[in-house]
Amino acid sequence: MTQALDEIKIGGLGASRKRVEDSRFIRGKGNYTDDITLPGMLHMEILRSPLAHARIVSIDASKAWDIPGVHLVLTGEMMATRNLAWMPTLSYDTQAVLATDKVRFQGQEVACVIADDPYIAKDACELIDVEYEPLPVIVNPEQAVAGGAPVIRDDKENQHDNVIYDWEVGDAAGTERAFAQADVVSKLRLHYPRSHPSPIECCGSIADYNRATSKLTVYMTTQAPHIIRAAVALVAELPEHMIRIISPDIGGGFGNKVPVYPGYVCSILASILLERPVKWIEDKSGNLISTGFARDVYLDGEMALRGDGKILAIRMHTDADHGAFFSDAQPSKFKIGLMHSAFAAYDIPVAHLTARGTYSNKAPGGVAYRCSFRVTEAMFFQERMMQAAATDLGMDQADFRRMNFVTDDQFPHRTPFGFLTDSGQYGKCLDVGLKAVGYQDFLRQQAEAKAKGRLLGIGISTMTEPLGAGNSREYDILGIKMFDSAELKVHMTGKAIVRTGARGQGQGHETTWAQIVSHELGIPAEDIVVEEGDTDTAPFGMGTYASRSTPVAGAAVSMVSRKIRAKARKLAAHLLEVSEEDVEWELGRFYVRSAPDRGVTIQECAMAAYSNMPDGMEPGLENTAYYDPPNLTWPFAVYIVTVEVDPATGVWDVLTMVAVDDCGVRINPMIVEGQIMGGLTEAYAMASMQFITFDADGNCVGSNYLDYLLPTAWETPGFELHSEVVTPCPHHPIGAKGIGECAAVGGPAAFVNAVLNAIDGTGVRNIDMPLLPDRVWEALTYRRDVYGAPPVRTDD
Ligand code: CDP
């Protein structure tokens, strides 16, 4: 008779356990970087460039030094004497820490003041006199490659233009041949505007160098503490074992907190020079103007089609604007991230992608904002292209997708760009979505409404995203292989602590990692504490971004639990006085195969590990697992939106939004739903209101929340979520795939496709995001495409 525990009751896999971290967050008891105060702590502020491109003629900081309470003024010249004026980026480029020769974007760090309090430091910054000699400004790739364009990175020896890379993937000749066979060639050109992850908490650090112990401790808002430790060791030439990076609670990251920022480096140097803790907390404008932007990619492409709708080939070109420094955090092998994951859900024989990256006088970035390295742009282009092609063919957009999907029996499936997708039920997800939205009924209503002058539209977007970099064969950052880790210590009373190399920023890791241990060992989730973010205690890991936590660190949690179970089995055999082969496992308990009533619980095994182990066995019940995934995980989703567009004003309202997400086995269904809703909200923001743009002088429009809009609950439409399709990941220990980003990746195209579907028949092929009412109105009124980012059109 089984005595296995009820997994849901103990908070295991599938339990919608309430997030344990929330009990401190909602009581205001979180411990964020800015909550930390150390004895003798000083405060740092940054002076930023008002100009986008200018030569620095002189910097006079004497007045700043004279202010009482100022301890140090750092300039590029001083940094240079310590070889710290420049630092390496995560993409094999260099980035100025404090400008020496030129400023290359508005908001670039020029000097820092360290003072008794942040107000003195800010006042002193304003007294630093910088003389600039303005230079011509470049704000887009077209200008970057135009003849006579000023070379932005004239600091680099062999850089004679503004091109960072020319990269390609796929089969150019095969694609050419397929296009020659096409009955129809469908084309699309669009711009994915620059956006910003905009976490509620800005970036910041507190560096605390202790000369007596030679130890440097840095509390900071990083999503990847171990990468930062390695970077500090290499850049500041400090011994790695004397560096401790602690990421306390993080108020959202979304990719913004992966790169190494000048503020971190300056606070560390200041602490070393002053031998006092130095705190730097960025303000909101500083965050929006200078740190980790995303997207800013121009996409051009064409699709070769047979008359019956079969896709024969894809050709794509991307022009990415990386800003002044190429500092994307992405696998080094892929210059434009995983852009070549485009069209992975469709069975397409051949494809070719070319990509060019250029410098401009904008803040550096290209971060993976809630996305697995450019997958957002890839999926957006894919689904906009699918709609355009269906329209060109005169085919129903759902039928067109279905006939080209990779089918359930085709997995593992090799995409034309070389990825191997793992599993999925794409057609079923689409069916669930179409049923939920009442597709056929809606098409009827749409036709009736049109006859009365009302514009209804329906947009579909599907996406499959490669989540969980890496496998170490293909994925590395600066040569450091991408894998992850978990350490599990089961105490003698059966309580446990699990630590991973990931670092959550609000995703609920403290809740879900415990659920995985519970599933593997039967220890109630409430008896397990999760700790992340301290390099002195956590095992080495590559951090949390690109939804890699569940696919990699989560898998490591499973694997380390299994190692613990293997040792506990030996302890159980010893306690039950049978051989190990006679011992069976059920959740929470080992028992004798021939006598199921005779058993010992996992907690009894834990006690024995410290008090009654067999002769020769190493005491204790602890272990560590490093997990190098065999492949990426490939979740799939269908997002369907219906809208009504007001032809008089261009205002569009969302009528329904249906999301069908298949992320394999769900550890915590409630948390998964939260992740999807958050992603859909960001998708709606991208589609409807959010952008950062620049005027011709490189002034950043969007450096505050009056210009850069975040949707509140008031603007955000309702979402209907569907979870009925579950395709376990065949290579993940518990069958889970990532979910954190799917909705933000796949969602935007659904909204845009819906609006364009509503104005179908006007000849308008594209309106670039965001679909502000005036842009929709312009498209409708003048029956023309609207291209580029508002309000400064790149084509003007
Ligand atoms: O890397 P990141 O945490 O941002 O993304 P993720 O691995 O997709 O996980 C986001 C949250 O959803 C975590 O708390 C996961 O444990 C949870 N999750 C889940 O419950 N089930 C899944 N199949 C995937 C994620």
Side-chain angles (χ1 to χ4, degrees):
M1 194 186 64
T2 179
Q3 295 180 25
L5 298 173
D6 179 330
E7 179 154 359
I8 299 297
K9 278 200 185 134
I10 65 165
L13 225 54
S16 281
R17 191 177 173 230
K18 284 193 178 161
R19 292 170 26 121
V20 293
E21 42 273 83
D22 287 351
S23 76
R24 65 176 189 279
F25 293 155
I26 60 176
R27 290 175 215 200
K29 297 288 183 195
N31 186 36
Y32 299 93
T33 301
D34 201 17
D35 291 325
I36 296 166
T37 301
L38 300 178
M41 189 170 79
L42 300 172
H43 298 263
M44 187 181 99
E45 287 290 328
I46 295 176
L47 175 71
R48 300 180 180 281
S49 166
L51 300 176
H53 200 194
R55 201 160 296 290
I56 295 179
V57 179
S58 63
I59 301 180
D60 178 1
S62 52
K63 287 189 196 130
W65 276 104
D66 286 346
I67 301 265
V70 169
H71 292 255
L72 181 66
V73 181
L74 285 176
T75 60
E77 205 180 313
M78 288 170 70
M79 301 297 282
T81 62
R82 287 160 181 87
N83 207 18
L84 284 175
W86 291 83
M87 62 180 179
T89 70
L90 297 177
S91 283
Y92 293 98
D93 195 7
T94 48
Q95 175 171 354
V97 178
L98 293 179
T100 47
D101 52 341
K102 290 202 304 191
V103 287
R104 292 174 170 85
F105 67 90
Q106 186 186 55
Q108 185 178 339
E109 300 79 358
V110 175
C112 291
V113 174
I114 295 90
D116 283 334
D117 70 43
Y119 307 103
I120 297 174
K122 216 171 187 82
D123 286 348
C125 276
E126 284 173 16
L127 295 178
I128 299 174
D129 198 5
V130 186
E131 194 187 332
Y132 295 103
E133 179 191 310
L135 294 167
V137 170
I138 287 173
V139 292
N140 61 44
E142 211 177 310
Q143 294 174 349
V145 298
V151 177
I152 295 172
R153 295 301 305 278
D154 50 359
D155 56 290
K156 294 172 76 173
E157 224 168 78
N158 295 317
Q159 186 77 42
H160 305 300
D161 57 21
N162 293 311
V163 176
I164 307 171
Y165 57 81
D166 269 307
W167 189 78
E168 65 175 313
V169 62
D171 175 357
T175 303
E176 193 70 44
R177 283 194 296 277
F179 269 84
Q181 308 295 317
D183 298 322
V184 177
V185 172
S186 203
K187 298 183 187 211
L188 188 66
R189 174 160 191 248
L190 54 83
H191 177 230
Y192 203 122
R194 171 179 275 232
S195 63
H196 197 281
S198 193
I200 292 177
E201 181 203 27
C202 300
C203 296
S205 55
I206 304 169
D208 183 15
Y209 181 68
N210 183 331
R211 187 156 308 276
T213 60
S214 300
K215 182 123 188 176
L216 172 69
T217 305
V218 190
Y219 301 85
M220 64 192 295
T221 52
T222 176
Q223 298 174 223
H226 285 97
I227 299 185
I228 296 284
R229 186 179 68 183
V232 173
L234 297 172
V235 174
E237 292 179 8
L238 293 171
E240 196 175 356
H241 65 300
M242 286 295 162
I243 304 167
R244 180 179 187 188
I245 306 294
I246 301 174
S247 262
D249 287 329
I250 299 185
F254 309 105
N256 182 243
K257 293 172 178 168
V258 180
V260 182
Y261 293 121
Y264 301 153
V265 180
C266 293
S267 67
I268 290 171
L269 179 65
S271 179
I272 292 172
L273 293 175
L274 297 168
E275 295 184 32
R276 300 216 2 213
V278 174
K279 179 189 262 190
W280 164 62
I281 298 292
E282 195 177 54
D283 61 21
K284 193 48 88 180
S285 288
N287 182 257
L288 280 170
I289 206 169
S290 74
T291 61
F293 77 86
R295 329 297 189 220
D296 213 348
V297 171
Y298 296 79
L299 297 121
D300 245 311
E302 46 189 355
M303 187 180 258
L305 295 146
R306 223 167 49 199
D308 65 356
K310 170 76 188 148
I311 304 171
L312 302 176
I314 301 289
R315 197 183 276 137
M316 273 173 81
H317 175 75
T318 75
D319 266 311
D321 181 341
H322 291 269
F325 309 107
F326 182 30
S327 70
D328 301 24
Q330 64 186 4
S332 28
K333 195 170 158 186
F334 307 114
K335 293 290 173 219
I336 186 75
L338 304 186
M339 184 73 83
H340 54 308
S341 61
F343 298 95
Y346 299 103
D347 184 14
I348 299 173
V350 64
H352 186 234
L353 165 78
T354 51
R356 182 173 58 187
T358 46
Y359 289 118
S360 70
N361 293 116
K362 297 173 176 175
V367 297
Y369 165 22
R370 211 165 181 168
C371 125
S372 195
F373 316 118
R374 303 282 184 185
V375 169
T376 308
E377 293 97 308
M379 293 305 140
F380 183 71
F381 183 77
Q382 166 190 304
E383 289 306 304
R384 292 282 300 106
M385 181 89 241
M386 289 302 286
Q387 170 152 318
T391 307
D392 290 344
L393 289 162
M395 264 184 91
D396 174 84
Q397 52 171 319
D399 291 345
F400 176 57
R401 286 183 170 85
R402 190 183 286 101
M403 81 167 281
N404 284 292
F405 274 153
V406 174
T407 54
D408 304 0
D409 54 2
Q410 279 181 296
F411 293 103
H413 182 259
R414 184 71 65 186
T415 76
F417 289 120
F419 288 104
L420 196 66
T421 54
D422 57 1
S423 63
Q425 300 177 71
Y426 302 166
K428 187 170 171 190
C429 287
L430 182 61
D431 290 345
V432 170
L434 293 176
K435 187 166 170 223
V437 82
Y439 188 56
Q440 293 304 336
D441 272 356
F442 185 84
L443 294 184
R444 260 191 303 279
Q445 285 171 30
Q446 186 183 27
E448 285 164 19
K450 198 165 193 171
K452 294 179 192 150
R454 283 177 60 211
L455 301 177
L456 302 186
I458 185 161
I460 300 176
S461 173
T462 75
M463 71 104 231
T464 182
E465 190 188 6
L467 294 182
N471 51 68
S472 66
R473 293 186 309 283
E474 288 198 286
Y475 295 88
D476 72 87
I477 291 184
L478 290 182
I480 308 168
K481 302 283 189 188
M482 296 188 81
F483 54 83
D484 231 288
S485 59
E487 176 202 74
L488 178 59
K489 294 185 174 182
V490 183
H491 309 314
M492 67 178 76
T493 55
K495 316 288 181 195
I497 178 164
V498 60
R499 295 188 172 101
T500 80
R503 187 26 167 160
Q505 315 115 47
Q507 297 94 324
H509 292 182
E510 290 173 45
T511 308
T512 48
W513 296 165
Q515 292 186 246
I516 297 176
V517 177
S518 238
H519 166 72
E520 298 286 356
L521 292 177
I523 298 175
E526 64 188 29
D527 288 350
I528 302 154
V529 71
V530 175
E531 197 183 274
E532 291 180 332
D534 183 341
T535 55
D536 264 11
T537 55
F540 184 91
M542 293 297 272
T544 289
Y545 39 89
S547 261
R548 60 187 302 279
S549 303
T550 301
V552 197
V557 174
S558 255
M559 299 314 272
V560 75
S561 303
R562 290 176 191 184
K563 286 185 178 182
I564 295 285
R565 197 165 71 204
K567 182 166 183 186
R569 178 185 293 277
K570 293 185 197 303
L571 288 156
H574 169 66
L575 294 175
L576 293 165
E577 297 178 333
V578 294
S579 75
E580 212 186 314
E581 292 70 46
D582 294 330
V583 170
E584 291 287 341
W585 167 254
E586 60 184 358
L587 192 63
R589 173 179 182 267
F590 293 100
Y591 61 89
V592 179
R593 186 177 305 121
S594 55
D597 286 347
R598 279 191 62 218
V600 285
T601 62
I602 187 77
Q603 290 79 6
E604 287 167 325
C605 295
M607 182 57 83
Y610 297 87
S611 61
N612 180 18
M613 54 281 186
D615 282 349
M617 180 186 271
E618 194 178 333
L621 199 53
E622 317 181 347
N623 220 317
T624 305
Y626 285 86
Y627 186 78
D628 186 2
N631 189 5
L632 300 153
T633 71
W634 294 82
F636 180 78
V638 171
Y639 303 115
I640 306 179
V641 173
T642 62
V643 296
E644 174 155 14
V645 177
D646 177 355
T649 61
V651 169
W652 52 279
D653 288 318
V654 175
L655 306 175
T656 45
M657 197 313 162
V658 168
V660 185
D661 276 273
D662 177 4
C663 60
V665 173
R666 295 182 175 206
I667 303 163
N668 182 320
M670 181 197 69
I671 286 185
V672 168
E673 292 206 343
Q675 294 286 308
I676 297 168
M677 287 197 189
L680 291 176
T681 305
E682 285 183 296
Y684 175 67
M686 294 302 313
S688 65
M689 61 180 80
Q690 220 161 60
F691 64 97
I692 287 182
T693 190
F694 294 79
D695 69 13
D697 295 327
N699 293 309
C700 175
V701 181
S703 60
N704 61 74
Y705 280 155
L706 284 177
D707 294 317
Y708 192 65
L709 304 179
L710 300 186
T712 64
W714 179 257
E715 294 89 14
T716 305
F719 309 124
E720 181 184 318
L721 308 188
H722 287 261
S723 57
E724 46 271 68
V725 189
V726 176
T727 316
C729 173
H731 57 80
H732 187 281
I734 56 168
K737 304 181 180 186
I739 186 63
E741 308 162 340
C742 300
V745 167
F751 292 103
V752 176
N753 280 346
V755 174
L756 283 158
N757 179 258
I759 63 170
D760 191 26
T762 57
V764 175
R765 198 167 177 80
N766 182 50
I767 306 173
D768 272 339
M769 293 192 293
L771 272 61
L772 301 171
D774 63 313
R775 288 156 73 81
V776 177
W777 177 86
E778 180 187 327
L780 259 171
T781 307
Y782 300 107
R783 298 186 166 238
R784 67 179 183 212
D785 290 2
V786 179
Y787 187 63
V792 184
R793 299 274 172 71
T794 52
D795 53 353
D796 276 352

